[in-house]
């Protein structure tokens, strides 16, 4: 039984966003407050991005930018350095701030932070790990009742949706709508041709997995423009804009960024520094953009932005280029038409950018077109129920859940909730740049401060490398099912 005194906050989803928010709440909560971290998967702290077991799925962000705590930028690097020598030896290079390390290892880091906190504060004192799916939320006089798949209802004062990333579509015979599901690559004849829809980082992950499992057959990857993520370059200081960029006009912003790239080039500074220099302003620029400008950005510029902003680790990019050079990986710019499954083959109609139609015969199609953020197309009971009850609504651009400043969810009547919040990639309609760790960790710190208006004194995060515990499997979660 959960104790009933104090405040109770439910966090639905224990990927990076939910786990980090829980850690920040624990720093601020009173002794009898309860944080219920609800996760449908057995492993807490990983989420979609960091649950990969493939050591060749690397972070696409340098380790030096992946600390869980914005006030301790080298926390993750220190943790990497504290790993036992035999684990460090399995890393691609000596871990430092510029390394690109396996994503699974970052998941272990988050898990250990959670385990460490449970160990310091006691299993069932303030943090309760609830291993079940939240399927509905019912409005109570004060707060919410969170219904679990098992049928139990948890009464809470406040709730946060940290439900993260959803796969593109439902699977059908010959077509795999979830590229991260194990079965997408299972039982595949290694000489068979495969079609990957999309040419971004998800496609890259899937190609790496195919190569790692010894795939020899042709891999076709198709997207409207056929653009591939750029490769990370040498470490460079982010460009400092002489005049702060403004978001009111997209054309103007584009002109300013292009001018900065030309100016940087004249000083032998790479375009990457300019894109990185935009990072501190991206959320403000997005908020300044009128809705029509945001729509134009999504229609015309997004693919270009994505491949320049979300870059691939050099070692991964080299493998992709090698696969292209030997003709195994074939990238094309085309629109996907009909997909027809017939016994062993799938026939896919493609329309190239110049209008030519062709038919591609492959053994299977894997959708790597990116994450599904249109709430109407997401197939989860909680989202369905929250939408049907009018508790949440999609943002105007259908990029996720509509929120107000500060993360409060907005209901179908356009009113902001005082006790229901959302955090993470599903809130990108409000701030666009909220999918990667550096932005999410700030949002978690801010939301924790808003939810529990207490100074952060209870249990500060480790303040020096000496406080980082040696690597250890995370503590066994307390289950409150
Ligand atoms: C493949 C991939 C690679 C990435 N690589 C990087 C990177 O290298 N660096 C970087 O900074 N960012 C990266 N990202 C961005 C990533 O979105 C964030 O870093 C971060 O992982 C987002 O975490 P999250 O907790 O918001 O979402 P998620 O990781 O998706 O976690 C959401 C969690 O909520 C749970 N959940 C959902 N609904 C329910 C429910 N109803 N009941 C219970 N549990 C529920 C899910 O099971 C899941 O565990 C990557 C993203 C992807 C998809």
């Amino acid at each position: 039984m959960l104790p009933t005194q104090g405040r109770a906050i439910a966090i639905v989803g224990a990927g990076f966003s939910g786990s980090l928010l829980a850690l920040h709440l624990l720093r601020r909560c009173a002794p009898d407050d309860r944080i219920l971290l609800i996760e449908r998967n057995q492993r807490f702290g990983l989420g979609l991005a960091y649950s990969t077991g493939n050591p060749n799925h690397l972070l696409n962000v340098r380790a030096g930018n992946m600390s869980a705590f914005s006030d301790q930028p080298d926390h993750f690097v220190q943790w990497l350095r504290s790993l036992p020598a035999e684990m460090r030896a399995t890393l691609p290079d000596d871990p430092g701030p510029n390394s690109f390390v396996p994503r699974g290892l970052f998941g272990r880091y988050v898990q250990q932070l959670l385990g460490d906190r449970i160990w310091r504060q006691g299993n069932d004192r303030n943090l309760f790990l609830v291993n079940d799916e939240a399927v509905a939320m019912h409005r109570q006089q004060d707060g919410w009742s969170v219904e679990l798949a098992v049928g139990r209802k948890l009464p809470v004062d406040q709730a946060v949706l940290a439900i993260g990333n959803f796969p593109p579509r439902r699977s059908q015979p010959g077509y795999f709508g979830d590229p991260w599901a194990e079965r997408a690559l299972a039982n595949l004849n290694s000489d068979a041709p495969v079609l990957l829809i999309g040419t971004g980082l998800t496609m890259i992950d899937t190609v790496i997995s195919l190569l790692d499992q010894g795939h020899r057959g042709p891999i076709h990857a198709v997207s409207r423009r056929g653009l591939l993520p750029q490769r990370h370059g040498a470490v460079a200081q982010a460009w400092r804009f002489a005049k702060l960029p403004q978001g009111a006009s997209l054309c103007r912003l584009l002109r300013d960024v292009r001018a900065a790239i030309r100016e940087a080039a004249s000083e032998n500074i790479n375009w990457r520094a300019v894109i990185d220099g935009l990072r501190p302003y991206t959320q403000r620029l997005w908020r300044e953009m009128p809705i029509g400008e945001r729509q134009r950005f999504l229609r015309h510029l997004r693919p270009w932005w994505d491949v320049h902003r979300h870059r691939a680790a050099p070692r991964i990019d080299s493998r992709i280029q090698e696969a292209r050079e030997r003709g195994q990986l074939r990238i094309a710019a085309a629109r996907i038409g009909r997909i027809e499954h017939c016994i062993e083959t799938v026939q896919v109609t493609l329309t190239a950018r110049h209008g030519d139609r062709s038919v591609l015969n492959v053994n299977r199609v894997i959708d790597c077109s990116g994450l599904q953020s249109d709430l109407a197309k997401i197939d989860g009971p909680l989202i369905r129920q929250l939408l049907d009850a009018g508790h949440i609504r999609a943002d105007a651009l259908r990029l996720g859940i509509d929120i107000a400043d500060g993360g409060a969810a907005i209901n179908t009547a356009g009113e902001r909730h005082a006790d229901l919040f959302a955090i993470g990639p599903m809130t990108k309609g409000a701030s666009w740049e909220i999918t990667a760790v550096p932005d999410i960790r700030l949002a978690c710190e801010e939301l924790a401060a808003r939810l529990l208006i207490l100074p952060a004194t209870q249990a500060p995060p480790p303040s020096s490398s000496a406080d980082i515990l040696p690597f250890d499997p995370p503590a066994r979660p307390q289950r409150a099912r």
Side-chain angles (χ1 to χ4, degrees), residues 122-138:
N123 250 358
D124 52 1
R125 285 262 304 282
N126 299 108
L127 178 63
F128 295 82
L129 302 188
V130 183
N131 191 193
D132 202 347
E133 178 167 13
V135 291
M137 288 179 51
H138 310 283

Side-chain angles (χ1 to χ4, degrees), residues 35-338:
I35 292 140
L36 311 179
L37 185 56
I38 304 169
E39 171 58 53
R40 62 186 170 195
N41 288 329
Q42 283 201 332
R43 294 187 303 165
F44 284 64
L46 303 182
L48 181 62
Y50 311 118
S51 54
T52 170
N54 184 334
N56 292 321
H57 286 167
L58 301 186
L59 292 174
N60 52 42
V61 175
R62 290 187 166 88
N65 292 328
M66 289 293 288
S67 166
F69 306 107
S70 58
D71 56 350
Q72 295 172 73
D74 64 346
H75 193 262
F76 178 51
V77 174
Q78 296 292 348
W79 182 85
L80 287 172
R81 288 181 172 149
S82 77
L83 288 171
E86 65 272 18
M87 274 191 83
R88 276 212 316 272
T90 65
L91 295 179
D93 42 27
D94 191 32
N98 298 324
S99 317
F100 293 92
V101 301
R103 290 208 303 270
L105 199 53
F106 184 77
R108 305 280 284 271
Y109 164 67
V110 180
Q111 284 189 317
Q112 193 176 353
L113 290 174
L114 265 185
D116 169 22
R117 204 39 63 85
I118 293 168
W119 174 77
R120 282 175 196 235
Q121 297 202 346
N123 250 358
D124 52 1
R125 285 262 304 282
N126 299 108
L127 178 63
F128 295 82
L129 302 188
V130 183
N131 191 193
D132 202 347
E133 178 167 13
V135 291
M137 288 179 51
H138 310 283
R139 186 31 97 212
Q140 304 295 287
Q141 206 174 3
D142 293 311
W144 296 90
S145 163
V146 182
E147 186 178 336
L148 304 178
V150 74
R152 187 166 177 212
K153 291 186 178 150
L154 304 171
V156 294
D157 301 295
Q158 293 164 312
V160 181
L161 302 169
I163 50 180
N165 299 297
F166 289 84
R169 275 175 203 92
R170 232 189 238 187
S171 297
Q172 297 163 19
Y175 165 91
F176 292 79
D178 180 354
W180 297 283
E182 248 172 58
R183 63 197 191 92
L185 302 186
N187 305 319
L188 177 65
N189 174 340
S190 46
D191 291 314
V194 181
L195 169 65
L196 308 182
I197 302 178
T199 58
L201 287 170
T202 307
M203 178 280 289
I204 288 185
D205 255 14
T206 310
V207 172
I208 295 296
S209 296
L210 283 166
L211 298 178
D212 285 352
Q213 70 180 39
H215 195 77
R216 294 181 298 259
I219 306 170
H220 302 271
V222 174
S223 67
R224 290 266 179 106
R225 292 179 177 77
L227 295 173
L228 274 179
Q230 296 284 326
R231 177 191 179 103
H232 273 287
V235 182
Q237 260 217 315
W239 179 258
R240 289 175 75 99
F241 284 83
K243 212 169 123 237
L244 288 190
Q246 304 296 323
S249 153
L250 190 60
C251 275
R252 176 78 201 270
L253 179 58
L254 189 59
R255 258 202 320 269
D256 289 350
V257 173
R258 283 183 169 149
I261 288 174
R262 277 195 302 274
E263 195 186 331
S266 72
E267 296 174 28
N268 273 337
I269 296 173
N270 188 267
W271 59 264
R272 291 172 179 82
V274 177
I275 300 296
D276 294 347
L278 275 174
R279 189 74 183 269
Y281 313 117
T282 319
Q283 293 195 351
R284 173 180 58 75
L285 293 172
W286 182 256
R287 291 195 188 113
E288 282 172 4
M289 265 182 216
I291 184 94
E293 295 292 82
R294 293 185 196 182
Q295 277 164 335
R296 285 174 62 204
F297 169 82
L298 294 175
R299 223 175 10 248
H300 303 295
L301 283 183
R302 182 183 190 170
W304 302 93
W305 171 256
D306 282 350
V307 295
H308 289 87
R309 159 72 188 83
H310 301 286
R311 304 193 283 267
R315 199 162 63 93
I316 297 301
D317 182 65
S318 298
R319 286 187 73 191
I320 295 294
Q321 296 315 328
E322 283 158 22
R324 290 187 77 182
E325 278 158 25
R326 63 174 179 268
Q328 185 182 13
L329 174 60
R330 304 162 192 184
I331 308 283
R335 218 154 10 98
I336 307 279
R338 284 169 77 93

Side-chain angles (χ1 to χ4, degrees), residues 351-424:
T351 310
R353 280 187 76 74
H354 45 76
D356 280 0
R357 276 192 176 200
S358 59
V359 173
L360 190 64
N361 287 304
V362 290
N363 189 277
R364 72 177 61 174
V365 176
I366 304 171
D367 197 333
C368 302
S369 62
L371 301 158
Q372 181 59 267
S373 58
D374 184 349
L375 297 186
K377 294 184 182 154
I378 289 175
D379 201 16
L382 180 64
I383 294 275
R384 292 262 62 76
Q385 183 269 340
L386 286 170
L387 282 174
D388 291 348
H391 296 320
I392 60 167
R393 68 178 187 185
D395 66 85
L397 297 169
R398 299 198 162 269
L399 293 171
I401 300 172
D402 200 13
I403 56 162
D405 284 350
I410 298 178
N411 67 18
T412 40
E415 299 151 349
R416 54 185 287 169
H417 290 278
D419 50 12
L420 178 63
F421 299 82
I423 195 159

